[in-house]
Amino acid sequence: MITYDPLNPDAVTGAWKSATRGADGKLSGSLATIDSKHAYWVNSASFLPIKANIPDAGFAATPPVIAVTAGWNMVPVVSLTGAAPGALISADTYFASLPSWVTAYSFDPQAATAWTKVTPKSFQNVVVGKGYWLYSTAAGILVP
């Protein structure tokens, strides 16, 4: 499994973080935890759905925000209203806090067209539970 985190590069792997799951079930590598502020590429030999236990934000917690850098970012689509994975959200609504977003791409290896491009003001949707490669011309904060 890998993720891209341009905000927290390290000397060995840079912005890329990766991990493998050992026989003990624990992750090993530069990616130590899975959270709802990052999107992840997962390599699996199975077509079975992958389930990850990511705790919902409680009422006492502040809403999640995702820092975005100028350039490419891997961001998840999360729902604060409890929308189920697979639900659609207008891309313009979801990325509204980022006035400088240029494009976003999702990847689905089982679709006829593996890459789907989403652009501003095109009446397109993003999908809850998916991750997107997002290009922004300026740093900002994504507020889902």
Side-chain angles (χ1 to χ4, degrees), residues 79-97:
S79 170
L80 297 181
T81 62
L88 302 177
I89 300 174
S90 160
D92 291 321
T93 300
Y94 190 76
F95 296 126
S97 62

Side-chain angles (χ1 to χ4, degrees), residues 15-144:
W16 288 99
K17 309 291 184 237
S18 66
T20 56
R21 187 170 303 279
D24 61 359
K26 295 182 180 177
L27 295 176
S28 64
S30 58
L31 175 59
T33 59
I34 299 172
D35 61 37
S36 61
K37 293 184 179 187
H38 295 87
Y40 301 89
W41 285 92
V42 179
N43 183 22
S44 174
S46 170
F47 283 100
L48 296 174
I50 297 172
K51 296 181 181 181
N53 240 349
I54 300 173
D56 292 332
F59 287 109
T62 58
V65 295
I66 300 164
V68 171
T69 64
W72 289 103
N73 300 266
M74 265 182 107
V75 298
V77 175
V78 296
S79 170
L80 297 181
T81 62
L88 302 177
I89 300 174
S90 160
D92 291 321
T93 300
Y94 190 76
F95 296 126
S97 62
L98 298 172
S100 57
W101 79 282
V102 175
T103 190
Y105 288 92
S106 68
F107 183 76
D108 183 349
Q110 294 179 329
T113 305
W115 289 98
T116 301
K117 182 177 183 177
V118 179
T119 55
K121 299 178 179 126
S122 61
F123 303 102
Q124 292 173 288
N125 295 312
V126 292
V127 181
V128 173
K130 278 193 154 200
Y132 287 79
W133 271 110
L134 174 78
Y135 188 82
S136 179
T137 58
I141 300 292
L142 173 59
V143 182

